[in-house]
Amino acid sequence: MTITTVTEGLLFPEGPVALPNGDVLVVEIHRGTLTRVSPDGTRSIVANVGGGPNGAQLGPDGRVYLCNNGGLRSFEVAGFVFAGGTPDDYTTGSIQAVDLSTGAVETLYTECDGSGLRGPNDLVFDAHGGFYFTDYGKSNGAVEDLGRVFYATADGSSIRQVAGGMQGPNGAGLSPDGTRLYVSETYTARVWWWEVTGPGEIVGGKSLGGSGGGNFLYTAANYTNFDSLGVEASGNVCVASMVHSGISVISPEGELVEFVELPGDPGITNICWGGPQLETAFITSSSTGKLLKVDWARPGLAPNFSGLDHLVGA
């Protein structure tokens, strides 16, 4: 396995989005930007979105949709940068859309049924053009929100809560056939899945693996926090794993296929795929401010509306 640093000096990057031209977009939580990274590592600011941009995906209209958590505090542990808590200038969480050609930013949602969005984290579009997103919530060091999952339309006209009562819901993904919604929980190191019965309609809620379910268990000996996730073309769920640094690859049956070690940064947060055959993984190494490129053993799944389908078979 070859690991290459594409660029560094980012301020807690997350939400990588591989573009058809070979560029990769990332958000920088501590800079409040959507940032473009060229294959040679050159960086440019696409938009200043404020707050704390977290997850990102291309939508059906070609804009990039962002989960904005409203901002997180920056703090260091043993020389590594992390993000958490509630900053003094926090106002609200939101869902935003960015025009890549102009940098124009539109705020689509800040609440649902009168309840404010607290800390939107990650999102995934379904084939119908709507999207699921997680709301991690906020903490002041003494009290922490329970997390929620929402479904919304890209035109800003409809939003509804579809799940709640979660402990730090983070990554969101769909199975290749769109019949399963996956959500990772941070501190429980658990992946949940629901059966998708229609656009924004889910039933069930079962543990796929991590701290419960499946054939493996993360304990004190290999303490792990789950961050965001991506899905392989085969259906495996690849969960960015913090502290015990790497990517946990979990089969749809809940088996640990492999753990890809990525040493040197306890803050491995996100994964997406690009390149020929979608066999190049782009991974955010957030606590050291890097975007990594990794030759992946299996192809990733082209997200809906990503424009990457042409790379399969390239």
Side-chain angles (χ1 to χ4, degrees), residues 230-252:
V231 178
E232 294 180 348
S234 66
N236 291 333
V237 182
C238 299
V239 191
S241 303
M242 302 178 70
V243 187
H244 181 210
S245 305
I247 304 293
S248 301
V249 182
I250 307 170
S251 76

Side-chain angles (χ1 to χ4, degrees), residues 159-232:
I159 182 174
R160 65 180 182 273
Q161 181 177 326
V162 296
M166 302 189 71
Q167 299 179 51
N170 199 312
L174 289 166
S175 60
D177 62 4
T179 62
R180 279 189 176 191
L181 172 68
Y182 294 110
V183 171
S184 54
E185 263 185 347
T186 297
Y187 296 115
T188 63
R190 189 188 301 263
V191 175
W192 292 96
W193 71 273
W194 293 260
E195 179 185 356
V196 177
T197 58
E201 302 293 338
I202 60 175
V203 296
K206 301 178 182 179
S207 179
L208 183 69
S211 63
N215 71 335
F216 66 103
L217 181 68
Y218 287 129
T219 64
N222 56 357
Y223 181 74
T224 301
N225 289 165
F226 277 171
D227 206 282
S228 190
L229 62 84
V231 178
E232 294 180 348

Side-chain angles (χ1 to χ4, degrees), residues 1 3 80 82 218 221-226 239-248 258-269 283-288 292:
M1 181 180 68
I3 303 173
F80 294 103
F82 291 93
Y218 287 129
N222 56 357
Y223 181 74
T224 301
N225 289 165
F226 277 171
V239 191
S241 303
M242 302 178 70
V243 187
H244 181 210
S245 305
I247 304 293
S248 301
E258 66 172 327
F259 184 82
V260 179
E261 297 275 356
L262 294 169
D265 187 343
I268 300 298
T269 57
I283 297 170
T284 47
S285 183
S286 300
S287 292
T288 53
L292 305 178

Side-chain angles (χ1 to χ4, degrees), residues 17-273:
V17 177
L19 297 179
N21 70 348
D23 292 348
V24 178
L25 301 173
V26 296
V27 297
E28 296 185 68
I29 290 180
H30 292 328
R31 185 174 275 138
T33 61
L34 176 65
T35 302
R36 182 188 295 266
V37 181
S38 300
D40 65 0
T42 302
R43 303 191 305 271
S44 59
I45 303 301
V46 176
N48 290 285
V49 300
N54 215 151
Q57 284 288 318
L58 279 166
D61 58 1
R63 293 191 295 177
V64 174
Y65 286 71
L66 302 179
C67 285
N68 196 312
N69 60 45
L72 295 170
R73 292 186 183 275
S74 176
F75 60 95
E76 289 191 18
V77 177
F80 294 103
V81 177
F82 291 93
T86 306
D88 294 337
D89 60 355
Y90 170 79
T91 55
T92 186
S94 64
I95 301 297
Q96 300 169 306
V98 177
D99 187 314
L100 288 177
S101 60
T102 66
V105 182
E106 180 184 5
T107 298
L108 298 175
Y109 301 103
T110 59
E111 64 175 39
C112 176
D113 296 330
S115 176
L117 302 181
R118 296 286 289 159
N121 189 288
D122 199 13
L123 73 160
V124 61
F125 273 93
D126 65 16
H128 303 280
F131 60 95
Y132 297 90
F133 72 92
T134 57
D135 189 331
Y136 190 97
K138 286 291 185 182
S139 170
N140 63 6
V143 178
E144 186 168 355
D145 297 325
L146 290 176
R148 300 170 289 174
V149 180
F150 295 89
Y151 183 80
T153 56
D155 62 3
S157 66
S158 174
I159 182 174
R160 65 180 182 273
Q161 181 177 326
V162 296
M166 302 189 71
Q167 299 179 51
N170 199 312
L174 289 166
S175 60
D177 62 4
T179 62
R180 279 189 176 191
L181 172 68
Y182 294 110
V183 171
S184 54
E185 263 185 347
T186 297
Y187 296 115
T188 63
R190 189 188 301 263
V191 175
W192 292 96
W193 71 273
W194 293 260
E195 179 185 356
V196 177
T197 58
E201 302 293 338
I202 60 175
V203 296
K206 301 178 182 179
S207 179
L208 183 69
S211 63
N215 71 335
F216 66 103
L217 181 68
Y218 287 129
T219 64
N222 56 357
Y223 181 74
T224 301
N225 289 165
F226 277 171
D227 206 282
S228 190
L229 62 84
V231 178
E232 294 180 348
S234 66
N236 291 333
V237 182
C238 299
V239 191
S241 303
M242 302 178 70
V243 187
H244 181 210
S245 305
I247 304 293
S248 301
V249 182
I250 307 170
S251 76
E253 293 74 39
E255 298 176 352
L256 184 63
V257 176
E258 66 172 327
F259 184 82
V260 179
E261 297 275 356
L262 294 169
D265 187 343
I268 300 298
T269 57
N270 294 253
I271 183 171
C272 76
W273 289 268

